[in-house]
Amino acid sequence: MASSLLNGAENLKLLKGSNFLGSELHFRPLARKGPFCFPKSSKISTCMPAKCSLSSSSRPVSQPRFIQHKQEAFWFYRFLSIVYDHVINPGHWTEDMRDEALEPADLYSRHLTVVDVGGGTGFTTLGIVKHVDAKNVTILDQSPHQLAKAKQKKALKECKIVEGDAEDLPFPTDYAHRYISAGSIEYWPDPQRGIKEAYRVLKIGGKACIIGPVYPTFWLSRFFADVWMLFPKEEEYIEWFQKAGFKDVKLKRIGPKWYRGVRRHGLIMGCSVTGVKPMSGDSPLQLGPKVEDVKKPVNPFVFFLRFILGALAATYYVLVPIYMWIKDQIVPKGMPI
């Protein structure tokens, strides 16, 4: 049985046993055995081994985006942190999704050392400390406003809180058993560098788990995704992991249950990608200077324009889950939406 990921999200083909309806990307799990992880009911969840043919026509990660830049993201979350847990998460990152996305991370022991990179308000960390002692978990984020929210959560009181950069982690090489990052990669100017850092800080045999968005195929959603921030294609995640040196790379699809498997609009939390570090030391991948220097002066007018346009694009993605929820209520169960 062969698997392939060819020609981007629009033409994504999986192993026999899953069925997509053209570019609409409705997922229909069929009853069969194999390397996939199928969910109960209509939740999106597919585990794919990374034995794939990577697309040679991947969308460039350097195209213009307005919130992917670190300074804009810093100020964006300065205000969003106030309502993040109550407004953003219910539509994009539910507790059920979180628990399902963390399952491939294999958090089997209370004694594991875990770093939660881009941990923000600690919503994902709450899922981690169900399985790992809080004293063994470090939450890292560039936003002190987000981290202030994490500090207020009783279950996270014993976690270490660190301000830092996902592309330049303040941890020694071979430090952690698990690297978790949820909803952060979309803000990394150079995702390959961030994943290379994930490899470096893990111990031999350690596992990285990155949870993030998936690229939309619907033209309007694709437009706002490109304007707003990084929405990687599934094969890009796999390629970044493999280039960094990870082995046994797998991708698991996730999504709100009321989407009924629809992925054409993209998902801010659309997949959970894992990989195992096969040997100690730094990643074998060699990279040049960092893409973005946060200390470099920024034109105030350009900053303001980028911030406003990015916020407008983000508003679209606040409305999409509401639209999908309404469709789920109206369209009879068992019918595609």
Side-chain angles (χ1 to χ4, degrees):
M1 182 165 55
S3 65
S4 63
L5 289 171
L6 300 173
N7 302 324
E10 292 86 348
N11 300 312
L12 186 65
K13 295 181 180 178
L14 304 179
L15 288 172
K16 297 177 182 178
S18 57
N19 185 18
F20 289 85
L21 303 180
S23 62
E24 297 297 303
L25 292 180
H26 293 276
F27 180 58
R28 292 180 177 173
L30 304 180
R32 64 170 291 120
K33 295 180 180 180
F36 289 97
C37 298
F38 292 117
K40 297 178 181 178
S41 70
S42 59
K43 291 181 183 178
I44 304 170
S45 176
T46 309
C47 279
M48 297 183 290
K51 296 177 181 178
C52 62
S53 175
L54 298 174
S55 171
S56 60
S57 57
S58 295
R59 166 185 42 77
V61 298
S62 58
Q63 67 188 60
R65 299 180 185 93
F66 296 107
I67 289 294
Q68 186 190 354
H69 293 241
K70 292 175 183 175
Q71 292 198 23
E72 285 83 356
F74 177 91
W75 286 102
F76 184 69
Y77 276 100
R78 169 66 180 86
F79 302 105
L80 192 64
S81 63
I82 301 170
V83 296
Y84 187 86
D85 286 343
H86 308 292
V87 174
I88 302 301
N89 282 344
H92 295 283
W93 188 219
T94 65
E95 290 187 15
D96 287 345
M97 288 174 62
R98 178 191 66 193
D99 294 343
E100 196 169 351
L102 287 174
E103 188 177 337
D106 195 21
L107 302 172
Y108 63 86
S109 169
R110 306 293 310 178
H111 304 293
L112 293 173
T113 301
V114 181
V115 293
D116 183 7
V117 175
T121 64
F123 180 79
T124 302
T125 324
L126 289 174
I128 296 171
V129 298
K130 288 182 178 182
H131 310 280
V132 179
D133 289 342
K135 64 182 180 181
N136 297 327
V137 179
T138 301
I139 309 172
L140 178 141
D141 201 281
Q142 75 154 356
S143 170
H145 313 101
Q146 292 279 81
L147 291 174
K149 295 292 183 180
K151 290 178 183 179
Q152 295 172 8
K153 293 180 168 70
K154 184 177 180 180
L156 307 181
K157 290 294 184 183
E158 293 187 61
C159 293
K160 302 178 186 68
I161 305 291
V162 178
E163 286 185 38
D165 184 349
E167 296 180 359
D168 188 15
L169 295 173
F171 307 116
T173 301
D174 300 326
Y175 168 74
H177 297 104
R178 295 291 182 270
Y179 170 105
I180 310 290
S181 182
S184 179
I185 191 173
E186 55 263 40
Y187 304 108
W188 301 351
D190 186 355
Q192 182 67 83
R193 185 179 299 276
I195 294 173
K196 179 180 185 294
E197 272 291 271
Y199 184 101
R200 181 186 66 80
V201 302
L202 283 171
K203 297 177 182 289
I204 182 172
K207 182 176 283 190
C209 176
I210 292 183
I211 305 158
V214 292
Y215 196 57
T217 59
F218 180 63
W219 69 270
L220 186 60
S221 298
R222 188 167 60 243
F223 169 78
F224 281 110
D226 287 339
V227 168
W228 186 23
M229 62 185 184
L230 175 65
F231 277 67
K233 294 179 181 178
E234 292 177 335
E235 68 266 32
E236 288 181 302
Y237 281 104
I238 293 171
E239 185 175 22
W240 289 328
F241 267 72
Q242 291 178 335
K243 283 185 175 180
F246 284 103
K247 303 297 182 184
D248 194 24
V249 180
K250 295 179 181 178
L251 183 149
K252 178 178 183 177
R253 288 182 167 178
I254 58 173
K257 60 183 178 182
W258 61 90
Y259 273 57
R260 301 193 198 176
V262 172
R263 298 172 73 78
R264 63 180 175 272
H265 295 295
L267 290 157
I268 293 179
M269 293 293 194
C271 64
S272 173
V273 188
T274 53
V276 177
K277 180 174 179 176
M279 60 185 69
S280 62
D282 200 353
S283 167
L285 182 64
Q286 299 297 314
L287 297 176
K290 292 173 70 173
V291 172
E292 181 179 342
D293 181 4
V294 293
K295 297 180 181 179
K296 185 178 179 180
V298 177
N299 183 307
F301 175 77
V302 173
F303 171 85
F304 182 75
L305 179 64
R306 293 178 64 88
F307 184 86
I308 295 299
L309 291 176
L312 291 174
T315 301
Y316 174 85
Y317 270 95
V318 171
L319 298 176
V320 166
I322 298 174
Y323 164 73
M324 295 301 295
W325 181 84
I326 293 172
K327 289 188 72 174
D328 179 58
Q329 303 303 305
I330 296 174
V331 179
K333 302 299 181 183
M335 294 182 62
I337 57 174

